[in-house]
Amino acid sequence: MRRLLTYGGVLAGLLIATVVAYLAFAALHLAPQVPGNGGVTEICSPGPCADIQGYTLWVSNVQVTANLVTMTVKFKNSSPSTHASPEDLQLIDAGRHTAGITTDTTGCNTWTRHEFNNGATFGPINICFRVFNATPPFILHWTPDLGVFCCDTDIKLT
């Protein structure tokens, strides 16, 4: 009898874990997706941009000089997230190499974690990335801090 109760407990635990995993996966896909933009994102403009649950990132002035990609970014936060951080942005080049923000060239800036919410804006900020492959398109990968099971998105830059 004891063995039967043990097997039943293990089976019930596995069933509960499966349901929780399914609900967490389904929650990742609740927001509408924009075709060709990857990630969970809502419609925003003017592009290129991404809006995740009311947290918007706009990208402008994208330029490529040798292996340096420069751009201007601006944030507006009307989401549960409380901050913008440079660690939330990575650039992926055509060779699928990933680069973080670089500051070793004039005009290439960064910022410390910026606390803001309730519809506040932050930026514009000029940022740069060193890439291995300087041939467009590039993908700006954004991972704002919106909780454990949420979200990241890719912004295609041509």
Side-chain angles (χ1 to χ4, degrees):
M1 183 67 174
R2 184 178 181 140
R3 182 178 283 174
L4 185 61
L5 287 175
T6 302
Y7 288 135
V10 168
L11 184 61
L14 287 173
L15 181 63
I16 290 170
T18 302
V19 169
V20 169
Y22 173 78
L23 292 174
F25 180 77
L28 289 173
H29 299 286
L30 288 178
Q33 291 193 9
V34 175
N37 199 23
V40 178
T41 185
E42 297 170 5
I43 296 172
C44 60
S45 69
C49 62
D51 185 306
I52 302 176
Q53 298 180 10
Y55 191 0
T56 307
L57 168 65
W58 289 275
V59 180
S60 60
N61 303 324
V62 178
Q63 298 177 14
V64 181
T65 306
N67 69 336
L68 189 69
V69 178
T70 62
M71 65 188 72
T72 302
V73 294
K74 181 179 178 182
F75 300 88
K76 181 175 182 182
N77 190 4
S78 299
S79 77
S81 181
T82 59
H83 65 275
S85 176
E87 292 82 19
D88 295 344
L89 297 174
Q90 293 182 324
L91 191 70
I92 303 169
D93 67 18
R96 306 300 295 165
H97 297 102
T98 303
I101 293 175
T102 186
T103 59
D104 62 356
T105 302
T106 303
C108 296
N109 302 316
T110 189
W111 69 95
T112 57
R113 177 179 159 138
H114 179 79
E115 302 289 332
F116 73 119
N117 55 19
N118 299 323
T121 59
F122 176 61
I125 304 162
N126 297 322
I127 59 173
C128 304
F129 299 89
R130 288 216 181 278
V131 293
F132 287 98
N133 185 339
T135 305
F138 302 103
I139 296 171
L140 185 63
H141 185 71
W142 183 35
T143 55
D145 185 10
L146 289 167
V148 176
F149 294 110
C150 187
C151 306
D152 63 346
T153 194
D154 293 332
I155 303 170
K156 188 173 181 180
L157 308 172
T158 53

